[in-house]
Amino acid sequence: MKPAPFAWHAPEDLAAALALKAQHGGEAQFLAGGQSLVPAMNFRVAQPAVLVDLNRVAALDSLAFDAEGTLRVGAMCRYRRIERDAEVARRLPLLVEALAEVAHPQIRNRGTLAGNLCHADPASEMPAVMLALEARFRLCRHDGERVLPARDFFLGPLATALAEEEMLAEIQIPALPPGTGTGFLEVARRRGDYAMMGVAAVLRRGPEGRCVAARLALCSAGPTPMLAERAAASLVGTRLTAEDFAAAAALAVAEIDPMGSVQASPAYQRHLAGVLVPRALALAAERAA
Amino acid sequence: MKFTIRVNGVEHTREVEPRLLLSDFLRHEIGLTGTHVGCEHGVCGACTILWDGAPVRSCLAFAVQAEGHEIRTVEGLAPGPGQLNPLQQAFRDAHGLQCGYCTPGILMTMTAFLEENPKPDEAQVREALSGNLCRCTGYQHIVDAVLLASQA
């Protein structure tokens, strides 16, 4: 239960951090909040030869809305800062609602959103929330950068589209249009545990009250966070009634691919999705003014 | 590598390997064995300390990362030798511990919690406690102790 030896670098700016990653490649890992990587190192499941610690890169600890209303979250922004930000709670309530389900305050005091996303645990809440909110990820390397939609980032359990030299430097979450309501619900064995099933719903009503846009993303529902696209599409044009939600839930249950765990069989996870999807949709619809 | 850390207001300079966990540094390098080590992967909460005033798992940080930060452990709670602070006294009065293994972590979690929520209700206390495991199943008395401390 002690980490294997490693060389530790604690650069103070992004360029130095990216240069170190380029230099050491796959031997090196970035260390952000450490709430997933350090347990893995304690178990020696992860044995990076080099750690590029980002905790002293002050510029990465950023959280701000830009002129278009997009929330920009830097790689070192800790969960606690996001969940306590009144403006984030007002403009992106889904993020704050789901954050309350992420582990415990002691973990959220250190853990970062970017680190969680790079860990890419399909049972984790935030990857699904990023899909529901259509987030974009800015991936930086020493000699350039690219922006990737969240849905192209998650490739499988603990696997992402990050290249060896890249860092997820910034998460960009676009503003929700007027008339949008969101809801997040999950079932876990205990508060703070990984979800056996979690559902993030985003609904937008048009002027006549009909649904004009819908997004539905689920965690613990497959090898990656899962978008239920057919279920979401079925809601567009409806009046968002209980029958519409039941029909969408039936589609969502067929779209997901839960893998099961010691706590829940795939059949039980599908059952949970069938229960949670209509509830999350009802919550979002009620909030979509 | 050589680094300096501030724990309970006292500076310590040591030569350590970067892989040394903060929990092990506290216990083995500077002898503050009040910080207990349970699971070593961030689940049990026994090693909770205050990092710049916020409760965090000391088993999920490397000691060298703490340079420049204010670390507070259970040894920093009591006002003086042989004395207890109001939270510690409440744990004693309400029988808030049995074996005591989880107690230091819970005291640090609740120190920060009560600073932010001086008059919590029972549900808030239970939620704040959710990141600390007690295997004596003594939660009821722990909740009682925190509520008692908040009434002091």
Side-chain angles (χ1 to χ4, degrees):
Chain A
M1 295 301 290
K2 308 295 176 192
F6 54 84
W8 180 65
H9 298 280
E12 295 189 356
D13 63 73
L14 179 60
L18 294 172
L20 281 162
K21 192 75 170 87
Q23 183 190 337
H24 296 285
E27 296 279 276
Q29 274 206 271
F30 288 120
L31 173 64
Q35 305 301 287
S36 299
L37 179 56
V38 179
M41 291 176 67
N42 286 355
F43 280 122
R44 300 209 179 187
V45 175
Q47 298 194 21
V50 176
L51 272 190
V52 180
D53 186 344
L54 303 177
N55 281 270
R56 294 181 187 177
V57 184
L60 288 176
D61 181 13
S62 57
L63 179 72
F65 288 94
D66 67 16
E68 283 82 50
T70 297
L71 179 64
R72 292 171 178 267
V73 186
M76 275 311 303
C77 181
R78 300 182 201 276
Y79 281 141
R80 210 60 173 155
R81 181 170 173 196
I82 302 172
E83 69 182 87
R84 290 181 178 204
D85 190 292
E87 202 56 18
V88 173
R90 192 176 70 78
R91 298 202 210 180
L92 295 167
L94 179 64
L95 192 51
V96 175
E97 189 169 48
L99 271 176
E101 306 290 345
V102 176
H104 306 288
Q106 295 96 327
I107 300 295
R108 300 199 298 269
N109 277 333
R110 264 195 89 69
T112 64
L113 177 58
N116 171 272
L117 298 173
C118 291
H119 187 56
D121 189 324
S124 182
E125 292 86 354
M126 284 300 118
V129 169
M130 294 301 112
L131 292 186
L133 292 175
E134 301 189 86
R136 298 179 299 266
F137 299 159
R138 185 158 73 92
L139 312 182
C140 293
R141 51 195 292 155
H142 71 290
D143 58 355
E145 64 174 74
R146 60 180 173 141
V147 175
L148 204 64
R151 61 178 305 163
D152 296 335
F153 184 76
F154 302 102
L155 302 183
L158 312 186
T160 71
L162 275 171
E164 202 165 271
E165 299 183 355
E166 284 179 323
M167 174 201 296
L168 169 50
E170 184 183 71
I171 298 121
Q172 304 168 354
I173 307 175
L176 293 170
T180 302
T182 62
F184 184 87
L185 290 174
E186 74 172 41
V187 172
R189 285 290 294 271
R190 289 161 303 199
R191 185 71 190 243
D193 279 8
Y194 277 113
M196 294 187 280
M197 179 56 61
V199 178
V202 179
L203 292 176
R204 180 150 58 97
R205 286 185 197 273
E208 283 98 52
R210 286 189 187 272
C211 177
V212 295
R215 305 262 303 169
L216 201 51
L218 299 89
C219 64
S220 264
T224 62
M226 301 294 278
L227 268 180
E229 295 193 284
R230 286 192 291 132
S234 77
L235 293 163
V236 175
T238 71
R239 295 215 163 267
L240 298 175
T241 64
E243 291 72 33
D244 300 325
F245 298 152
L251 288 170
V253 167
E255 279 185 271
I256 59 175
D257 181 21
M259 300 187 293
S261 67
V262 290
Q263 296 180 332
S265 66
Y268 181 54
Q269 289 182 293
R270 284 186 199 277
H271 166 77
L272 289 176
V275 173
L276 289 178
V277 165
R279 288 186 192 168
L281 288 171
L283 199 57
E286 185 187 306
R287 292 166 175 175
Chain B
M1 60 176 293
K2 198 170 182 174
F3 86 119
T4 298
I5 185 172
R6 218 174 135 79
V7 183
N8 300 325
V10 180
E11 286 198 349
H12 306 265
T13 299
R14 292 288 189 282
E15 179 89 31
V16 302
E17 280 189 83
R19 66 169 168 157
L20 185 67
L21 298 172
L22 178 56
S23 47
D24 287 337
F25 176 87
L26 294 171
R27 292 177 57 82
H28 303 309
E29 289 290 328
I30 59 177
L32 295 180
T33 53
T35 298
H36 291 170
V37 172
C39 71
E40 288 194 312
H41 63 286
V43 172
C44 77
C47 71
T48 304
I49 50 96
L50 298 184
W51 178 297
D52 293 334
V56 306
R57 309 293 203 217
S58 61
C59 74
L60 296 188
F62 300 109
V64 291
Q65 294 184 288
E67 188 161 46
H69 298 277
E70 196 70 44
I71 302 301
R72 199 170 169 209
T73 68
V74 69
E75 288 89 348
L77 292 183
Q83 294 178 287
L84 299 176
N85 81 357
L87 181 62
Q88 291 170 310
Q89 186 63 50
F91 269 71
R92 183 175 186 166
D93 293 344
H95 308 288
L97 58 143
Q98 291 185 42
C99 83
Y101 202 85
C102 66
T103 311
I106 291 177
L107 288 171
M108 302 319 285
T109 295
M110 288 304 162
T111 295
F113 171 72
L114 288 173
E115 275 170 17
E116 284 191 33
N117 308 277
K119 296 290 170 200
D121 61 31
E122 185 180 328
Q124 290 172 311
V125 173
R126 285 187 181 276
E127 179 166 350
L129 192 56
S130 67
N132 292 81
L133 298 182
C134 165
R135 292 292 83 152
C136 303
T137 66
Y139 294 114
Q140 186 57 54
H141 288 174
I142 295 169
V143 172
D144 291 346
V146 176
L147 290 172
L148 181 64
S150 73
Q151 288 151 15

